[in-house]
Amino acid sequence: MVRIRVLVVDDHRIFAESLAAALAAEPDVDVSAAGSGPAALRCMDRAAAEGRRFDVLLVDADLGAALHGPRPATAVPDTAPGQDGLVDGISLVAGVRSGQPTVRTVVLAEKDDPRRAALALQAGASGWVAKDCSLSRLLTVIRGVLRDETHLPPALLTSVLRELTATRKHRTDSERLVESLTPREREVLRCMVAGLGRKAVAERLFLSPHTVRTHMQNVLGKLGVHSTLAAVALARRAGVGPVDLEAAS
Protein backbone atom coordinates (compact mmCIF):
# COMPACT_ATOMS: atom_id res chain seq x y z
CA MET A 1 0.00 0.00 0.00
CA VAL A 2 1.31 3.44 -0.96
CA ARG A 3 1.04 5.61 2.12
CA ILE A 4 0.41 9.36 2.06
CA ARG A 5 2.63 11.35 4.41
CA VAL A 6 0.73 14.35 5.79
CA LEU A 7 1.96 17.18 8.03
CA VAL A 8 -0.64 19.26 9.91
CA VAL A 9 0.63 22.78 10.66
CA ASP A 10 -1.52 24.67 13.16
CA ASP A 11 -0.59 26.55 16.32
CA HIS A 12 -3.81 25.50 18.05
CA ARG A 13 -2.52 22.25 19.54
CA ILE A 14 -5.87 20.64 20.32
CA PHE A 15 -7.09 21.14 16.75
CA ALA A 16 -3.80 19.95 15.22
CA GLU A 17 -3.58 16.84 17.38
CA SER A 18 -7.26 16.00 16.93
CA LEU A 19 -7.03 16.32 13.15
CA ALA A 20 -3.81 14.30 13.10
CA ALA A 21 -5.44 11.55 15.14
CA ALA A 22 -8.46 11.44 12.83
CA LEU A 23 -6.27 11.23 9.73
CA ALA A 24 -4.04 8.59 11.32
CA ALA A 25 -7.04 6.26 11.50
CA GLU A 26 -6.90 5.95 7.71
CA PRO A 27 -4.89 2.89 6.65
CA ASP A 28 -3.03 4.75 3.88
CA VAL A 29 -2.12 7.91 5.82
CA ASP A 30 0.92 8.66 7.98
CA VAL A 31 0.52 11.97 9.80
CA SER A 32 2.57 14.32 11.97
CA ALA A 33 1.81 17.74 13.46
CA ALA A 34 3.79 20.96 13.84
CA GLY A 35 2.82 24.07 15.78
CA SER A 36 4.46 26.80 13.70
CA GLY A 37 5.99 27.60 10.33
CA PRO A 38 9.60 27.22 11.54
CA ALA A 39 8.72 23.96 13.29
CA ALA A 40 7.10 22.69 10.08
CA LEU A 41 10.23 23.48 8.06
CA ARG A 42 12.45 21.74 10.60
CA CYS A 43 10.17 18.72 10.50
CA MET A 44 10.25 18.68 6.69
CA ASP A 45 14.03 19.02 6.56
CA ARG A 46 14.46 16.20 9.05
CA ALA A 47 12.07 13.95 7.11
CA ALA A 48 13.82 14.73 3.82
CA ALA A 49 17.21 13.90 5.35
CA GLU A 50 15.80 10.54 6.45
CA GLY A 51 14.31 9.85 3.00
CA ARG A 52 10.73 10.24 4.26
CA ARG A 53 9.52 13.38 2.52
CA PHE A 54 6.00 14.60 3.23
CA ASP A 55 3.48 14.49 0.42
CA VAL A 56 0.90 17.00 1.68
CA LEU A 57 0.94 19.90 4.15
CA LEU A 58 -2.30 21.04 5.76
CA VAL A 59 -1.59 24.65 6.75
CA ASP A 60 -3.70 26.88 8.99
CA ALA A 61 -4.63 30.06 7.11
CA ASP A 62 -4.27 32.01 10.39
CA LEU A 63 -0.97 30.45 11.41
CA GLY A 64 0.76 32.68 13.96
CA ALA A 65 -2.20 35.02 14.45
CA ALA A 66 -2.61 33.99 18.10
CA LEU A 67 0.91 35.24 18.91
CA HIS A 68 1.51 37.98 16.38
CA GLY A 69 -1.95 39.13 15.35
CA PRO A 70 -3.44 38.74 11.87
CA ARG A 71 -1.28 39.88 8.98
CA PRO A 72 -2.88 41.76 6.09
CA ALA A 73 -3.43 39.78 2.88
CA THR A 74 -1.79 42.05 0.35
CA ALA A 75 0.83 40.20 -1.64
CA VAL A 76 2.48 36.86 -2.08
CA PRO A 77 6.05 36.76 -0.74
CA ASP A 78 8.56 36.73 -3.62
CA THR A 79 11.03 34.39 -1.93
CA ALA A 80 11.04 31.97 0.94
CA PRO A 81 11.68 34.00 4.11
CA GLY A 82 14.05 32.87 6.82
CA GLN A 83 12.67 30.49 9.39
CA ASP A 84 12.33 33.15 12.05
CA GLY A 85 10.17 35.19 9.68
CA LEU A 86 7.81 32.41 8.69
CA VAL A 87 4.70 33.31 10.63
CA ASP A 88 1.57 33.24 8.51
CA GLY A 89 0.18 30.42 6.41
CA ILE A 90 0.64 32.14 3.05
CA SER A 91 4.35 32.73 3.72
CA LEU A 92 4.76 29.09 4.70
CA VAL A 93 3.07 27.96 1.49
CA ALA A 94 5.44 30.15 -0.55
CA GLY A 95 8.45 28.89 1.40
CA VAL A 96 7.50 25.26 0.85
CA ARG A 97 6.94 25.82 -2.86
CA SER A 98 10.41 27.36 -3.10
CA GLY A 99 12.21 24.80 -0.95
CA GLN A 100 10.35 21.56 -1.68
CA PRO A 101 8.23 22.09 -4.81
CA THR A 102 7.01 18.48 -4.97
CA VAL A 103 5.10 18.89 -1.69
CA ARG A 104 1.42 19.79 -2.09
CA THR A 105 -0.10 22.30 0.33
CA VAL A 106 -3.72 22.73 1.34
CA VAL A 107 -4.82 25.74 3.40
CA LEU A 108 -7.36 25.16 6.18
CA ALA A 109 -9.48 28.24 6.90
CA GLU A 110 -11.94 29.27 9.59
CA LYS A 111 -13.93 31.31 7.06
CA ASP A 112 -14.14 31.90 3.34
CA ASP A 113 -11.94 34.77 2.18
CA PRO A 114 -11.65 35.11 -1.63
CA ARG A 115 -8.64 37.44 -1.47
CA ARG A 116 -6.62 35.25 0.84
CA ALA A 117 -7.67 32.12 -1.05
CA ALA A 118 -6.41 33.72 -4.28
CA LEU A 119 -3.14 34.65 -2.56
CA ALA A 120 -2.79 31.08 -1.30
CA LEU A 121 -3.18 29.72 -4.83
CA GLN A 122 -0.68 32.25 -6.16
CA ALA A 123 1.75 31.24 -3.41
CA GLY A 124 1.53 27.64 -4.57
CA ALA A 125 -1.31 26.08 -2.58
CA SER A 126 -3.31 23.34 -4.27
CA GLY A 127 -6.44 23.85 -2.21
CA TRP A 128 -8.41 25.97 0.25
CA VAL A 129 -10.69 24.02 2.59
CA ALA A 130 -12.98 25.04 5.44
CA LYS A 131 -11.90 23.76 8.85
CA ASP A 132 -15.44 22.59 9.53
CA CYS A 133 -15.58 20.34 6.47
CA SER A 134 -16.06 16.61 6.94
CA LEU A 135 -13.13 14.26 7.27
CA SER A 136 -14.19 12.47 4.11
CA ARG A 137 -14.14 15.78 2.21
CA LEU A 138 -10.66 16.57 3.52
CA LEU A 139 -9.39 13.14 2.51
CA THR A 140 -10.84 13.66 -0.97
CA VAL A 141 -8.91 16.92 -1.23
CA ILE A 142 -5.68 15.34 0.07
CA ARG A 143 -5.87 12.54 -2.46
CA GLY A 144 -6.97 14.95 -5.19
CA VAL A 145 -4.07 17.38 -4.86
CA LEU A 146 -1.68 14.44 -5.23
CA ARG A 147 -3.25 13.99 -8.67
CA ASP A 148 -2.44 17.65 -9.39
CA GLU A 149 -6.05 18.75 -8.83
CA THR A 150 -6.88 22.17 -7.38
CA HIS A 151 -9.65 22.25 -4.80
CA LEU A 152 -11.78 25.24 -3.80
CA PRO A 153 -15.22 25.42 -2.18
CA PRO A 154 -17.77 25.94 -4.99
CA ALA A 155 -19.11 29.07 -3.27
CA LEU A 156 -15.64 30.65 -3.50
CA LEU A 157 -14.82 29.78 -7.08
CA THR A 158 -16.29 32.83 -8.83
CA SER A 159 -14.89 35.28 -6.27
CA VAL A 160 -11.42 33.73 -6.37
CA LEU A 161 -11.34 33.82 -10.17
CA ARG A 162 -12.32 37.50 -10.00
CA GLU A 163 -9.48 38.16 -7.52
CA LEU A 164 -6.97 36.35 -9.71
CA THR A 165 -8.11 38.31 -12.77
CA ALA A 166 -7.79 41.61 -10.88
CA THR A 167 -4.34 40.61 -9.65
CA ARG A 168 -3.25 39.85 -13.19
CA LYS A 169 -4.50 43.27 -14.34
CA HIS A 170 -2.58 44.98 -11.55
CA ARG A 171 0.53 43.03 -12.49
CA THR A 172 0.15 44.05 -16.15
CA ASP A 173 -0.25 47.70 -15.18
CA SER A 174 2.77 47.46 -12.91
CA GLU A 175 4.86 45.82 -15.65
CA ARG A 176 3.95 48.64 -18.04
CA LEU A 177 5.10 51.26 -15.52
CA VAL A 178 8.36 49.46 -14.83
CA GLU A 179 9.03 49.24 -18.57
CA SER A 180 8.97 53.06 -18.69
CA LEU A 181 12.13 53.19 -16.55
CA THR A 182 15.59 53.52 -18.05
CA PRO A 183 18.03 50.61 -17.53
CA ARG A 184 19.82 52.60 -14.80
CA GLU A 185 16.51 53.40 -13.06
CA ARG A 186 15.56 49.72 -13.13
CA GLU A 187 18.90 48.91 -11.54
CA VAL A 188 18.19 51.46 -8.81
CA LEU A 189 14.71 49.99 -8.33
CA ARG A 190 16.18 46.50 -7.86
CA CYS A 191 18.46 47.95 -5.21
CA MET A 192 15.42 49.48 -3.51
CA VAL A 193 13.65 46.10 -3.60
CA ALA A 194 16.72 44.62 -1.87
CA GLY A 195 16.28 47.19 0.91
CA LEU A 196 19.37 49.27 0.15
CA GLY A 197 19.43 52.90 1.23
CA ARG A 198 20.70 55.80 -0.87
CA LYS A 199 24.30 55.56 0.39
CA ALA A 200 24.46 51.79 -0.19
CA VAL A 201 23.01 52.17 -3.69
CA ALA A 202 25.59 54.86 -4.48
CA GLU A 203 28.45 52.63 -3.33
CA ARG A 204 27.15 49.63 -5.25
CA LEU A 205 26.57 51.48 -8.51
CA PHE A 206 29.60 53.77 -8.18
CA LEU A 207 27.42 56.87 -8.27
CA SER A 208 27.24 59.95 -6.08
CA PRO A 209 24.45 60.04 -3.45
CA HIS A 210 23.05 63.10 -5.23
CA THR A 211 22.77 61.17 -8.51
CA VAL A 212 21.15 58.24 -6.73
CA ARG A 213 18.65 60.59 -5.12
CA THR A 214 17.75 61.94 -8.57
CA HIS A 215 17.32 58.41 -9.93
CA MET A 216 15.11 57.45 -6.98
CA GLN A 217 12.95 60.53 -7.45
CA ASN A 218 12.61 59.68 -11.15
CA VAL A 219 11.63 56.11 -10.30
CA LEU A 220 8.91 57.27 -7.89
CA GLY A 221 7.62 59.77 -10.42
CA LYS A 222 7.45 57.33 -13.32
CA LEU A 223 5.81 54.67 -11.16
CA GLY A 224 3.29 57.19 -9.86
CA VAL A 225 4.00 56.51 -6.18
CA HIS A 226 5.14 58.68 -3.28
CA SER A 227 7.31 56.39 -1.17
CA THR A 228 10.00 53.76 -1.46
CA LEU A 229 7.69 51.16 0.14
CA ALA A 230 5.04 51.79 -2.52
CA ALA A 231 7.65 51.55 -5.26
CA VAL A 232 8.90 48.24 -3.88
CA ALA A 233 5.36 46.84 -3.66
CA LEU A 234 4.67 47.83 -7.26
CA ALA A 235 8.00 46.35 -8.38
CA ARG A 236 7.17 43.05 -6.74
CA ARG A 237 3.79 42.96 -8.47
CA ALA A 238 5.63 43.46 -11.75
CA GLY A 239 7.95 40.57 -10.97
CA VAL A 240 11.03 42.73 -10.31
CA GLY A 241 13.36 40.90 -7.95
CA PRO A 242 16.04 42.32 -5.67
CA VAL A 243 19.59 42.88 -6.84
CA ASP A 244 21.92 40.04 -5.88
CA LEU A 245 23.70 41.35 -2.80
CA GLU A 246 26.02 38.35 -2.50
CA ALA A 247 27.42 38.95 -5.98
CA ALA A 248 28.86 42.26 -4.82
CA SER A 249 30.48 40.86 -1.69
Side-chain angles (χ1 to χ4, degrees):
M1 179 187 297
V2 177
R3 300 181 70 83
I4 304 170
R5 302 204 67 238
V6 177
L7 178 62
V8 179
V9 188
D10 195 302
D11 47 16
H12 293 85
R13 181 172 295 182
I14 292 177
F15 174 83
E17 292 181 354
S18 298
L19 179 55
L23 291 171
E26 296 295 313
D28 63 339
V29 176
D30 283 332
V31 61
S32 301
S36 69
L41 288 185
R42 289 193 296 270
C43 190
M44 293 177 68
D45 289 341
R46 186 165 56 249
E50 296 171 355
R52 303 180 298 107
R53 288 183 181 273
F54 288 98
D55 301 301
V56 178
L57 259 66
L58 303 179
V59 181
D60 177 22
D62 297 317
L63 190 67
L67 294 176
H68 303 278
R71 296 177 64 178
T74 56
V76 176
D78 295 310
T79 58
Q83 288 190 1
D84 290 340
L86 273 169
V87 176
D88 65 294
I90 305 300
S91 292
L92 178 59
V93 169
V96 170
R97 180 180 64 174
S98 174
Q100 298 194 31
T102 60
V103 178
R104 302 292 184 266
T105 56
V106 175
V107 177
L108 305 179
E110 291 278 1
K111 60 182 180 179
D112 288 344
D113 185 332
R115 174 171 291 184
R116 297 190 71 202
L119 285 172
L121 294 182
Q122 288 178 288
S126 297
W128 176 279
V129 181
K131 279 191 172 183
D132 61 358
C133 76
S134 66
L135 184 62
S136 62
R137 166 63 182 162
L138 182 57
L139 287 165
T140 296
V141 172
I142 290 172
R143 295 184 173 113
V145 297
L146 289 175
R147 297 190 296 268
D148 290 327
E149 298 173 0
T150 300
H151 285 259
L152 282 171
L156 266 186
L157 185 58
T158 299
S159 298
V160 169
L161 289 176
R162 188 181 300 120
E163 289 287 341
L164 291 174
T165 301
T167 299
R168 181 58 213 170
K169 180 181 183 301
H170 291 154
R171 182 181 178 91
T172 302
D173 292 342
S174 300
E175 289 170 345
R176 176 177 51 79
L177 290 171
V178 169
E179 287 172 359
S180 71
L181 302 178
T182 66
R184 176 63 84 184
E185 288 165 351
R186 286 195 201 100
E187 203 170 6
V188 170
L189 179 59
R190 292 185 64 214
C191 290
M192 294 163 67
V193 172
L196 299 181
R198 188 187 309 163
K199 182 178 179 182
V201 175
E203 292 175 353
R204 180 181 181 87
L205 301 182
F206 303 104
L207 300 171
S208 71
H210 176 76
T211 300
V212 170
R213 179 183 180 185
T214 299
H215 283 313
M216 286 183 166
Q217 289 175 338
N218 289 341
V219 167
L220 297 185
K222 290 183 178 180
L223 298 184
V225 296
H226 301 287
S227 70
T228 297
L229 287 177
V232 168
L234 188 149
R236 286 175 172 166
R237 286 199 300 272
V240 176
V243 69
D244 186 357
L245 297 178
E246 292 185 1
S249 59

